[in-house]
């Protein structure tokens, strides 16, 4: 590989938000979507969702997906940065999915069934 592996740092504000999210008292369903800012080589907050409509709330888990069709160097950057994020925020339920269309409630229940 001509380029060296770039492992992105995790934005300090994102680390704080993820820790607050992990220890929050609310039982509503919520999600934090992160992305890599390639220019700053930083994992940052992309979007945040919270629903109070009675949906099932799952334990905190991290679902990793790299963009479809990105270059091998970018895939390596995503993979290396994923490990950095998991260690920085001390995540324990980590799953990987290739196609985001496969992310269904059934898929998630199956993955989380291992932790029961």
């Amino acid at each position: 590989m001509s380029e060296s592996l770039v492992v992105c740092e995790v934005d300090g504000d994102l680390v704080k938000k993820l820790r607050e999210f992990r220890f929050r008292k609310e039982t509503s369903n919520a999600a934090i979507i992160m992305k890599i800012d390639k220019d700053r080589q930083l994992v940052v907050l992309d979007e945040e969702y919270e629903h109070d409509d009675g949906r099932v709330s799952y334990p905190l888990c991290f679902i990793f997906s790299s963009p479809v069709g990105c270059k091998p160097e970018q895939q390596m950057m995503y993979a290396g940065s994923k490990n950095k994020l998991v260690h920085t925020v001390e995540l324990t339920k980590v799953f990987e999915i290739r196609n985001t269309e496969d992310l269904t409630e059934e898929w998630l229940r199956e993955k989380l069934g291992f932790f029961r």
Side-chain angles (χ1 to χ4, degrees):
M1 181 180 311
S2 61
E3 297 179 52
S4 61
L5 173 62
V6 175
V7 177
C8 299
E9 292 298 319
V10 183
D11 181 68
D13 291 339
L14 178 59
V15 171
K16 182 180 178 190
K17 182 171 281 298
L18 288 168
R19 287 197 173 126
E20 289 170 357
F21 185 84
R22 181 179 189 178
F23 297 110
R24 70 192 185 110
K25 302 288 186 228
E26 296 86 9
T27 58
S28 59
N29 201 19
I32 293 176
I33 299 175
M34 297 163 275
K35 67 179 181 181
I36 291 180
D37 181 330
K38 290 189 310 184
D39 295 334
R40 296 189 304 160
Q41 297 182 351
L42 199 63
V43 180
V44 297
L45 176 69
D46 185 26
E47 297 178 55
E48 192 171 3
Y49 297 97
E50 189 149 341
H51 305 283
D52 294 320
D53 61 1
R55 295 184 215 184
V56 176
S57 181
Y58 294 101
L60 175 66
C61 62
F62 175 60
I63 303 170
F64 170 80
S65 177
S66 61
V68 175
C70 66
K71 297 177 184 177
E73 292 85 8
Q74 289 174 315
Q75 289 177 354
M76 297 279 291
M77 181 176 67
Y78 269 81
S81 298
K82 174 192 89 167
N83 293 335
K84 174 81 172 174
L85 177 68
V86 167
H87 288 21
T88 299
V89 187
E90 301 173 347
L91 300 170
T92 56
K93 296 172 183 73
V94 179
F95 309 113
E96 188 166 334
I97 192 164
R98 288 286 175 209
N99 186 345
T100 54
E101 292 176 4
D102 294 336
L103 179 56
T104 63
E105 185 171 340
E106 180 180 335
W107 179 88
L108 188 57
R109 285 182 184 274
E110 178 184 314
K111 295 294 182 185
L112 290 173
F114 175 79
F115 294 97
R116 291 184 190 164

